[in-house]
């Protein structure tokens, strides 16, 4: 749980972020409102809604951090005002629609945490007619950057300590999702607006945007930075811009290029960004115009997809149930709503000890399947 605690400590101790959410909540939430806190994490946003007069919160969270929310609500005497649902929102069914759906799925770039398709689903199934989404829209921004810290990230595989046979991984690492805390002085161009996402509208599954950047100072370009201006509710904006002193505590996205390119004031850089947020894929091309250089990278490179994994996604393939799934189905076939988990494990060990390569592993597997793949 260590890293989960670290992550959420950062969210809840970011006072600027909380102040902006509090302002948006007090403008939107009415006494008696039902709220969906989507990806509730520590539970902080739902708690703020209750304190603003909401009557009930459906707190949905896929990770174990939901226990922090559950226990915090209980400590605050608010356990009765919340329903906790552990799981992905897309697979969650709620008994009623809510006046407000609230989340912080904004990521570092604005679209890189799945907000487009997550809120599309939440809007259609969780939100009451005339209900309100917080946030409501996101503006994406890009700029050219020169940053030793950013460059060091993609050069870590070329470091002398890395055995030579593995230095080829630098190429893959360029396509990985990099988050970096930049300063205004790291920017080589004026920021450009890449896109505006209206979260109340249906956005396409494939997104493609371009921006033209004008270099404003001499330097060496390491890549492109991306960040958001997010409108939580009308007139309440939250940003992680490196050029804004009131920015929240969140790094920017960094999209590297393969080389370091010397640029001068007046040079133009064309950036194209393509994304399939549902599949968590992003690709970018960067054209440095006066030099006629083009760089193209994609997060697919860093995904380490095997040829077999790609083959499996082919729609014309006839799927066959694999060994582990078949073992899982065998374990579940013992559930008859009468026997206890212990009785089922004993039955499997005596009748199917060879289900997995060893008896020990069969026992472990059976107890894991019974714990994870059955109703609470
Ligand atoms: C950026 S954190 C924000 C947590 C909290 N709402 C806050 O503002 O501090 C997003 C949380 O959403 C959870 N999450 C992401 N996608 C989800 C989904 N589709 N359904 C449920 N939980 C999700 C993550 O596990 C994570 O805890």
């Amino acid at each position: 749980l260590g890293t989960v605690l670290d992550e959420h400590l950062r969210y809840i101790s970011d006072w600027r972020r909380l102040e902006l959410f509090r302002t948006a909540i007090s403008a939107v939430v009415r006494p008696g409102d039902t709220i969906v806190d989507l990806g509730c994490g520590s539970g902080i946003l739902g708690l703020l809604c209750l304190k603003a007069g909401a009557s009930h919160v459906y707190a949905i969270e896929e990770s174990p951090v939901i226990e922090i929310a559950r226990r915090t609500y209980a400590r605050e005497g608010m356990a009765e005002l919340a329903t906790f649902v552990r799981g992905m929102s897309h697979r969650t069914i709620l008994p009623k629609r809510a006046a407000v759906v609230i989340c912080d799925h904004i990521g570092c770039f604005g679209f890189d945490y799945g907000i487009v398709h997550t809120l599309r689903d939440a809007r259609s199934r969780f939100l009451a007619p005339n209900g309100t989404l917080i946030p409501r829209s996101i503006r994406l921004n890009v700029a050219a950057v020169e940053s030793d810290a950013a460059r060091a990230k993609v050069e870590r595989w070329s470091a002398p300590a890395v055995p030579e046979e593995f230095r080829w991984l630098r190429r893959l690492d360029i396509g990985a999702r990099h988050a970096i805390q930049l300063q205004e002085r790291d920017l080589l161009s004026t920021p450009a607006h890449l896109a505006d996402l209206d979260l109340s509208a249906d956005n396409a599954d494939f997104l493609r945007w371009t921006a033209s950047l004008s270099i404003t100072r001499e330097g060496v370009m390491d890549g492109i930075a991306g960040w958001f201006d997010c409108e939580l509710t009308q007139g309440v904006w939250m940003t992680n811009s490196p050029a804004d002193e009131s920015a929240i505590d969140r790094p920017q996205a960094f999209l590297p290029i393969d080389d370091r390119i010397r640029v001068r004031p007046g040079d133009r850089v064309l950036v194209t960004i393509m994304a399939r947020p549902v599949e968590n894929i992003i690709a970018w091309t960067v054209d440095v115009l006066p030099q006629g250089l083009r760089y193209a990278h994609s997060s697919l490179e860093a995904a380490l997809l095997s040829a077999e994994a790609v083959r499996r996604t082919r729609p014309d393939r006839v799927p066959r149930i694999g060994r582990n799934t078949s073992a899982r189905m065998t374990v579940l076939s013992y559930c008859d709503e009468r026997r206890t988990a212990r009785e089922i494990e004993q039955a499997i060990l005596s009748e199917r000890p060879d289900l997995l390569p060893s008896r020990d592993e069969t026992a472990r597997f059976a107890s894991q399947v019974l714990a994870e793949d059955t109703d609470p």
Side-chain angles (χ1 to χ4, degrees):
L1 204 60
T3 56
V4 173
L5 286 175
D6 290 347
E7 181 192 347
H8 289 276
L9 173 64
R10 188 158 181 185
Y11 292 135
I12 59 175
S13 53
D14 182 353
W15 63 270
R16 283 205 176 98
R17 182 184 85 103
L18 291 193
E19 209 39 57
L20 289 164
F21 268 106
R22 202 177 276 121
T23 306
I25 287 167
S26 72
V28 167
V29 172
R30 298 282 159 255
D33 276 354
T34 298
I35 312 290
V36 171
D37 183 358
L38 199 164
C40 71
S42 64
I44 180 68
L45 301 183
L47 209 54
L48 292 177
C49 291
L50 287 178
K51 291 187 174 171
S55 62
H56 197 85
V57 173
Y58 290 100
I60 308 172
E61 171 58 53
E62 53 134 342
S63 95
V65 71
I66 196 166
E67 285 311 312
I68 298 180
R70 200 193 303 274
R71 294 182 204 179
T72 305
Y73 275 59
R75 295 171 68 91
E76 292 292 304
M78 291 187 167
E80 300 300 307
L81 303 180
T83 305
F84 296 94
V85 183
R86 168 98 194 256
M88 291 298 283
S89 58
H90 306 87
R91 297 186 181 173
T92 299
I93 295 176
L94 296 179
K96 61 185 281 202
R97 288 177 180 258
V100 178
V101 172
I102 189 166
C103 72
D104 181 348
H105 267 48
I106 308 156
C108 295
F109 204 155
F111 68 94
D112 51 333
Y113 201 81
I115 194 163
V116 168
H117 64 284
T118 302
L119 281 192
R120 180 169 62 202
D121 173 59
R123 207 161 28 86
S124 71
R125 298 190 306 110
F126 299 156
L127 195 62
N130 302 320
T132 308
L133 292 176
I134 302 177
R136 72 201 304 252
S137 71
I138 302 178
R139 170 163 284 183
L140 310 177
N141 307 283
V142 283
V145 293
E146 172 177 28
S147 156
D148 289 343
R151 179 56 40 179
K153 277 203 160 218
V154 288
E155 294 301 350
R156 55 196 173 174
W157 285 96
S158 352
V162 175
E164 207 169 325
E165 300 91 312
F166 293 93
R167 295 202 191 144
W168 66 275
L169 286 163
R170 173 188 176 278
R171 170 78 201 173
L172 267 60
D173 209 22
I174 289 179
R177 291 154 61 108
H178 297 285
I180 188 95
Q181 193 70 57
L182 296 164
Q183 312 290 321
E184 186 170 13
R185 63 171 180 272
D186 299 324
L187 305 185
L188 283 169
S189 72
T190 41
H193 293 148
L194 185 67
D196 285 301
L197 296 173
D198 176 0
L199 298 170
S200 66
D202 282 338
N203 293 283
D205 284 337
F206 176 70
L207 305 166
R208 184 178 189 282
W209 309 292
T210 58
S212 171
L213 303 174
S214 177
I215 298 295
T216 49
R217 71 167 173 87
E218 181 146 359
V220 178
M221 184 167 90
D222 290 304
I224 303 297
W227 66 88
F228 60 79
D229 297 320
C230 174
E231 192 178 24
L232 295 178
T233 196
Q234 198 164 10
V236 182
W237 288 86
M238 181 170 93
T239 185
N240 64 337
S241 165
D244 191 328
E245 282 181 358
S246 62
I248 65 166
D249 173 23
R250 191 162 304 177
Q252 296 78 40
F254 173 58
L255 310 177
I257 55 174
D258 209 347
D259 296 324
R260 306 192 76 203
I261 301 298
R262 180 153 288 286
V263 288
R264 290 179 183 77
D267 286 358
R268 293 206 83 75
V269 175
L270 283 184
V271 182
T272 301
I273 293 182
M274 291 150 285
R276 283 195 165 277
V278 180
E279 286 94 3
N280 209 3
I281 300 170
I282 168 168
W284 59 98
T285 61
V286 178
D287 288 289
V288 190
L289 290 186
Q291 288 91 329
L293 295 167
R294 160 166 281 214
Y295 297 92
H297 298 289
S298 153
S299 61
L300 267 182
E301 296 169 31
L304 292 175
L305 284 180
S306 64
E308 187 205 328
V310 173
R311 240 189 338 269
R312 282 192 201 190
T313 64
R314 288 181 51 158
D316 58 351
R317 168 181 165 267
V318 177
R320 227 173 341 114
I321 290 174
R323 192 159 177 268
N324 283 352
T325 307
S326 163
R328 185 177 304 277
M329 289 162 77
T330 302
V331 171
L332 293 173
S333 74
Y334 279 75
C335 297
D336 55 7
E337 304 203 345
R338 281 186 292 108
R339 281 187 279 197
T340 64
R342 186 186 299 112
E343 286 165 347
I344 292 176
E345 281 173 43
Q346 283 164 354
I348 291 170
L349 279 181
S350 83
E351 293 164 28
R352 300 296 308 274
D354 57 343
L355 201 57
L356 286 167
S358 71
R359 207 180 142 78
D360 278 354
E361 193 51 29
T362 301
R364 244 193 313 272
F365 180 76
S367 83
Q368 187 188 347
V369 170
L370 293 174
E372 289 175 3
D373 293 348
T374 57
D375 269 357

